[in-house]
Amino acid sequence: MLISFKHRFIVFSMPKCASQALERAIGHKSDMVLRDPPGVKHCNYRRYDKFLRPFVERFSESPPETLCLFREPIDWLHSWWRYRQRPYLDGKPNSTRGFCFDRFVTMYLDGEGPGATIGRQSRFVVDKDHQVAVDHLFRYERIDRLTGWVEERSGWEVRLDQVNVSPRAGDAIILSNEIRRRAEVELARDFEIHAGLAP
């Protein structure tokens, strides 16, 4: 999470949505950076609202605007699947080494195995009433719109480098029609939010 009191904005760090690249690009210019542990870095809107918002607004002239990237749901899961194939995780419960993508998505939807702790993008950006509460959501594939917003608000130059990239597993996302249909039903809110964002 990146906070600018001066320019009155907060960039939420959605997992697997360029959070490390954004931190490297503007972290040194931000007034406050939440880096570690992952539960703090990737603080969702509800936790922010309950624990951090009172503190942040105490030191802001007006409530800061909130920004977050949101990724196409299957692409987001594909990135997680690739990311957890790293040799560092071999033999650990979160490893997806040896799992085909179909199996990983099935386990994710069942709340089992290496997909059990990933969560949902749709739950990351909503308030306690389950309404989208982040002021500005941007498609991950149009990250330039988020960086453009930051540049216009702050006057900063934002240059992104590729960091923390998931291991390559081929360019195509191979998912059976059956599992894709199930994902579209069970992740309907995620698909709805992403589809509603400006292309």
Side-chain angles (χ1 to χ4, degrees):
M1 178 179 279
L2 306 165
I3 302 172
S4 173
F5 291 98
K6 179 179 179 180
H7 300 296
R8 295 179 294 104
F9 69 82
I10 298 173
V11 179
F12 281 78
S13 296
M14 176 78 77
K16 304 312 299 165
C17 284
S19 54
Q20 197 162 332
L22 286 165
E23 182 181 313
R24 181 172 291 185
I26 64 173
H28 62 290
K29 300 176 182 180
S30 301
D31 298 312
M32 194 170 167
V33 180
L34 304 183
R35 289 189 174 93
D36 208 42
V40 173
K41 174 179 180 176
H42 299 297
C43 175
N44 64 33
Y45 187 88
R46 289 187 307 285
R47 289 194 188 115
Y48 162 75
D49 195 41
K50 183 175 182 180
F51 298 110
L52 284 173
R53 184 173 185 164
F55 173 81
V56 170
E57 292 190 357
R58 171 68 178 81
F59 297 97
S60 300
E61 293 182 6
S62 59
E65 294 183 63
T66 51
L67 299 81
C68 190
L69 291 169
F70 200 98
R71 197 164 181 167
E72 194 279 330
I74 300 300
D75 183 51
W76 186 71
L77 288 173
H78 196 255
S79 182
W80 272 111
W81 172 68
R82 297 191 334 264
Y83 183 67
R84 290 191 167 178
Q85 290 182 16
R86 292 171 297 158
Y88 165 76
L89 293 175
D90 284 357
K92 297 182 180 178
N94 284 345
S95 176
T96 57
R97 184 67 65 94
F99 286 65
C100 69
F101 188 46
D102 257 28
R103 183 181 178 198
F104 171 70
V105 174
T106 299
M107 296 183 80
Y108 168 76
L109 296 173
D110 289 339
E112 300 174 351
T117 59
I118 290 173
R120 301 271 173 95
Q121 290 186 97
S122 56
R123 295 174 185 162
F124 190 91
V125 298
V126 298
D127 59 20
K128 61 183 180 181
D129 298 318
H130 308 290
Q131 300 300 310
V132 173
V134 173
D135 296 313
H136 306 284
L137 282 181
F138 303 88
R139 289 188 178 203
Y140 168 81
E141 60 268 27
R142 290 306 311 271
I143 192 172
D144 59 301
R145 295 200 171 190
L146 182 145
T147 58
W149 191 100
V150 170
E151 288 180 332
E152 184 174 346
R153 171 61 69 90
S154 65
W156 302 341
E157 182 180 16
V158 181
R159 292 187 177 180
L160 296 178
D161 296 319
Q162 284 195 328
V163 292
N164 203 29
V165 178
S166 299
R168 294 185 68 85
D171 294 329
I173 296 176
I174 301 172
L175 186 65
S176 69
N177 290 334
E178 177 186 357
I179 302 303
R180 181 178 288 276
R181 283 194 296 269
R182 181 184 170 194
E184 288 172 351
V185 171
E186 297 188 27
L187 302 177
R189 182 68 166 142
D190 297 66
F191 281 98
E192 176 189 10
I193 291 172
H194 184 265
L197 302 179

